[in-house]
């Protein structure tokens, strides 16, 4: 990993991490790790195989043997499970809900740890998640914690779903976001929190270009290794 530039971008759901990570990776010619997709893939497999969420050994086995392949697309990376494109399936609300439960299981996190570190190859990696800067890549040269108020994140999600023609309730979305935040921040293992040496960016009042510029400026101004 020594020759690879590692940029970690952590933060809560809806903070814009995914889009920003893609853009930063593209701007700098680096690979992209969407670590949330790994937890979503474990969730999808467990749902498909009918595995009980209390069956820790079976969930850890799924995490260890996940037959996933990530292929770069024009805009980012697409996940394939044994050749089947599952990019859309893993974004379903139900899968997200199960993902946040399997992500709280230490054995699942442990099983995914090395798999995530293996993405760190030269020239480098933008790693998007919750514990990229704290646990997976503690030695990363650049650590960003991207956040936004729960209200702003609920608004963004509301507009996104409305555009897709889905009818949703804004108060319900806000409740869901707050519940997921609480689960991600209060779990025993790898809770969502900024690394001590992370730069915190609150995007509530910022456009996406502004956030991208702010992160690229941090990358440019990093201290020499
Ligand atoms: O970022 P996302 O919504 O795709 O993540 C799905 C779930 O996985 C979410 O509940 C948090 C969890 N997650 C995690 O615990 N650690 C990570 N590094 C990434 C995601």
């Amino acid at each position: 990993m020594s020759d690879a530039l590692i940029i970690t971008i952590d933060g809560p759901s809806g903070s814009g991490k995914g889009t920003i990570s893609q853009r930063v990776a593209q701007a700098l010619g680096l690979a992209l790790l969407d670590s949330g997709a790994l937890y979503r893939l474990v969730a999808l497999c467990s749902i498909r195989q009918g595995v009980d969420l209390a069956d820790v050994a079976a969930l850890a086995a799924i995490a260890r043997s996940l037959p996933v392949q990530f292929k770069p697309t024009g805009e980012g990376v697409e996940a394939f499970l044994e050749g089947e494109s599952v990019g859309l399936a893993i974004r379903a609300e139900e899968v997200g809900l199960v993902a946040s439960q399997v992500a709280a299981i230490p054995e699942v996190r442990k099983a995914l740890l090395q798999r995530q570190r293996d993405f760190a190859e030269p020239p480098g990696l933008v790693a998007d998640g919750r514990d990229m800067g704290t646990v997976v890549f503690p030695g990363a040269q650049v650590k960003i914690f991207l956040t936004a108020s729960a209200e702003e994140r609920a608004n963004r999600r509301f507009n996104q779903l409305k555009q897709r023609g889905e009818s949703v309730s804004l108060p319900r979305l806000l409740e869901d976001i707050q519940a997921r935040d609480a689960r991600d921040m209060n779990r025993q293992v790898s809770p969502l929190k900024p690394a001590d040496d992370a730069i915190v960016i609150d995007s509530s009042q910022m456009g996406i270009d502004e956030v991208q510029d702010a992160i690229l400026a941090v990358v440019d101004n990093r201290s020499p290794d």
Side-chain angles (χ1 to χ4, degrees):
M1 155 171 161
S2 54
D3 294 332
L5 167 62
I6 310 293
I7 300 171
T8 59
I9 304 185
D10 289 306
S13 327
S15 59
K17 274 177 310 132
T19 310
I20 285 293
S21 298
Q22 270 175 24
R23 283 179 166 223
V24 170
Q26 211 161 32
L28 298 173
L30 304 179
L32 178 67
L33 166 61
D34 170 5
S35 61
L38 290 173
Y39 291 95
R40 286 174 180 270
L41 285 159
V42 174
L44 181 67
C45 288
S46 68
I47 294 167
R48 286 182 171 181
Q49 294 174 22
V51 172
D52 192 304
L53 285 178
D55 191 345
V56 170
L59 293 170
I62 291 176
R64 268 194 303 274
S65 62
L66 210 54
V68 62
Q69 257 195 314
F70 288 102
K71 296 189 187 159
T73 64
E75 282 147 26
V77 177
E78 184 163 1
F80 289 80
L81 266 186
E82 289 176 326
E84 175 197 352
S85 163
V86 288
L88 265 184
I90 60 171
R91 297 287 145 212
E93 278 310 299
E94 184 204 358
V95 176
L97 218 71
V98 174
S100 98
Q101 290 169 273
V102 301
I105 302 173
E107 289 82 353
V108 169
R109 303 199 73 87
K110 197 168 154 217
L112 293 179
L113 191 58
Q114 191 56 44
R115 196 182 267 272
Q116 295 173 84
R117 289 184 175 155
D118 289 343
F119 281 80
E121 286 187 352
L125 179 71
V126 176
D128 155 2
R130 305 291 192 289
D131 61 343
M132 297 295 99
T134 48
V135 175
V136 181
F137 299 111
Q141 296 90 331
V142 177
K143 297 183 185 177
I144 305 289
F145 191 84
L146 186 60
T147 184
S149 68
E151 289 73 17
E152 178 56 29
R153 288 183 282 131
N155 267 321
R156 289 177 189 169
R157 182 85 181 132
F158 180 74
N159 290 328
Q160 218 176 35
L161 293 173
K162 216 166 64 177
Q163 262 181 5
R164 282 195 221 152
E166 292 180 38
S167 77
V168 277
S169 125
L170 184 58
R172 174 72 205 280
L173 277 178
L174 180 59
E175 249 174 56
D176 285 353
I177 282 183
Q178 285 167 332
R180 193 172 297 188
D181 281 358
R183 237 190 343 258
D184 288 347
M185 291 189 320
N186 296 323
R187 67 177 176 225
Q188 295 289 316
V189 280
S190 304
L192 170 66
K193 63 166 189 195
D196 291 339
D197 49 350
I199 292 181
V200 178
I201 297 179
D202 185 331
S203 73
S204 304
Q205 308 291 329
M206 292 166 86
I208 197 131
D209 290 332
E210 222 179 320
V211 177
Q212 179 179 346
D213 289 347
I215 295 177
L216 291 178
V218 174
V219 175
D220 278 345
N221 295 329
R222 73 185 185 280
S223 47
D225 312 316

